[in-house]
Amino acid sequence: SSEAAQKRWTTSDFDVGKPLGRGKFGHVYLAREKRSNHIVALKVLFKTQLHQSQVEHQLRREVEIQSHLRHPNILRLYGYFYDQKRVYLILEYAARGELYKELQKCKYFSERRAATYVASLARALIYCHGKHVIHRDIKPENLLIGAQGELKIADFGWSVHTFNRRRTMCGTLDYLPPEMVESLEHDASVDIWSLGILCYEFLYGVPPFEAREHSETYKRIVQVDLKFPPKPIVSSYAKDLISQMLVKESTRRLPLHKLLEHPWIVQNADPSG
Ligand SMILES: O=C(O)Cn1ncc2ncnc(NCCc3cnc(NC(=O)Nc4cccc(Cl)c4)s3)c21
């Protein structure tokens, strides 16, 4: 609610519960806002660590960007507050937790589950790109699962408004497209590349250009050294879609609205997302 955006929150507004996870910058707790009984996730960040890592501007940009985004497949950031030592993010609670843990447990997803996730991510990214926001860090660690099994993109810590495109290194290399790995200018089509990487990883359990050494991964990305293992068996429609997304020339990647019309998505994605 807009009230949530303006109100000066403090920790005494919440009953804080169990820790949900430990991130690099701090922990996330289950919490209940006392007056509304609304369940949220509270991410606690230590100012010293934010300062040491010089990411305060990124955090400010994330809060600014997220305050304008409303989409069923984007985890809400309701607001934030701070005290002497910490910054608190008030986040939508994703009841079924982190997607990457689910992927580790299942090893890989069925084509129906993978296509349903890819379609909902495509719809969320179409929405973001429509608002000139590119996420730039689409990977399993930034995806959560809601109470009805729906996917939620979280952690816009690396997102930018495309007007002021920055060239900053993101997390793992695996999901970066050639133009980011070669640190050239990049645009919304970077998210199409990352979605193609994700689609491959949902179906095979590993990202396509994974290698022991960073230098090897770098080479495989810039050469788009795309291979499909014989196991698990994956339909040629799925391979066709992935091959149309993992294209070096960013302008030739399959546009997201075309992805939603691709036969693999049409035949496999659950329309409810
Ligand atoms: O807690 C878990 O590990 C998993 N989990 N399980 C359920 C659940 N429900 C909601 N949220 C969870 N986790 C937090 C997800 C985030 C969303 N937005 C973020 N933004 C951010 O961290 N920004 C940020 C931090 C430090 C520096 C900078 Cl520059 C930016 S983190 C949940």
Side-chain angles (χ1 to χ4, degrees):
S1 70
S2 67
E3 188 239 350
Q6 277 112 29
K7 184 175 176 358
R8 284 275 155 271
W9 297 100
T10 73
T11 44
S12 57
D13 290 314
F14 299 90
D15 287 319
V16 181
K18 67 171 181 172
L20 291 170
R22 281 150 186 66
K24 180 181 165 215
F25 289 90
H27 297 171
V28 187
Y29 298 89
L30 192 60
R32 180 179 49 227
E33 200 278 313
K34 288 174 183 170
R35 284 188 323 100
S36 64
N37 276 335
H38 189 198
I39 297 291
V40 296
L42 210 52
K43 177 145 189 180
V44 182
L45 304 163
F46 288 95
K47 286 184 178 177
T48 49
Q49 278 189 339
L50 292 172
H51 186 71
Q52 278 156 12
S53 313
Q54 296 162 0
V55 291
E56 294 100 325
H57 69 283
Q58 269 178 242
L59 185 57
R60 263 191 285 277
R61 188 168 57 214
E62 172 180 7
V63 171
E64 158 62 26
I65 286 176
Q66 274 270 38
S67 60
H68 298 94
L69 299 179
R70 300 276 187 285
H71 189 277
N73 299 112
I74 294 176
L75 194 84
R76 282 291 310 282
L77 193 158
Y78 298 119
Y80 73 101
F81 58 97
Y82 46 86
D83 59 21
Q84 195 62 26
K85 294 201 187 74
R86 288 163 285 257
V87 177
Y88 303 82
L89 300 180
I90 310 167
L91 296 159
E92 174 186 359
Y93 170 52
R96 292 201 201 170
E98 296 170 279
L99 181 102
Y100 87 90
K101 285 185 181 163
E102 186 64 22
L103 185 54
Q104 276 173 347
K105 205 170 70 181
C106 308
K107 206 161 166 313
Y108 47 79
F109 295 142
S110 70
E111 297 212 20
R112 292 184 58 76
R113 184 169 185 181
T116 302
Y117 285 157
V118 168
S120 44
L121 283 170
R123 286 194 297 274
L125 291 173
I126 288 168
Y127 172 82
C128 287
H129 296 171
K131 289 178 169 280
H132 306 295
V133 171
I134 45 179
H135 187 280
R136 296 196 315 170
D137 201 13
I138 301 289
K139 59 188 178 190
E141 291 77 1
N142 289 342
L143 301 175
L144 296 169
I145 307 174
Q148 273 72 41
E150 75 281 18
L151 205 62
K152 304 254 179 195
I153 301 181
D155 195 346
F156 281 69
W158 287 98
S159 57
V160 282
H161 271 116
T162 38
F163 323 117
N164 55 351
R165 282 177 298 191
R166 290 208 190 299
R167 288 197 298 258
T168 37
M169 279 316 292
C170 304
T172 164
L173 272 178
D174 282 308
Y175 300 83
L176 295 185
E179 65 274 20
M180 274 186 95
V181 163
E182 292 164 338
S183 71
L184 310 173
E185 278 304 298
H186 54 273
D187 60 17
S189 61
V190 304
D191 286 339
I192 301 173
W193 174 278
S194 303
L195 187 53
I197 299 287
L198 257 186
C199 185
Y200 183 104
E201 183 166 4
F202 287 161
L203 292 168
Y204 292 101
V206 290
F209 307 120
E210 196 174 58
R212 265 184 316 285
E213 299 299 323
H214 241 150
S215 55
E216 187 54 31
T217 304
Y218 174 100
K219 267 192 291 203
R220 296 197 63 202
I221 290 170
V222 295
Q223 287 161 8
V224 192
D225 175 27
L226 180 60
K227 297 178 191 127
F228 297 106
K231 287 279 176 213
I233 298 182
V234 167
S235 67
S236 38
Y237 268 158
K239 293 175 193 170
D240 174 74
L241 175 60
I242 292 168
S243 307
Q244 291 195 59
M245 298 172 82
L246 300 184
V247 172
K248 180 156 179 130
E249 174 47 53
S250 60
T251 56
R252 286 187 40 246
R253 288 170 199 156
L254 187 70
L256 290 172
H257 65 278
K258 284 260 188 280
L259 175 148
L260 292 174
E261 295 158 6
H262 188 281
W264 184 67
I265 295 289
V266 171
Q267 285 172 23
N268 290 283
D270 174 350
S272 71

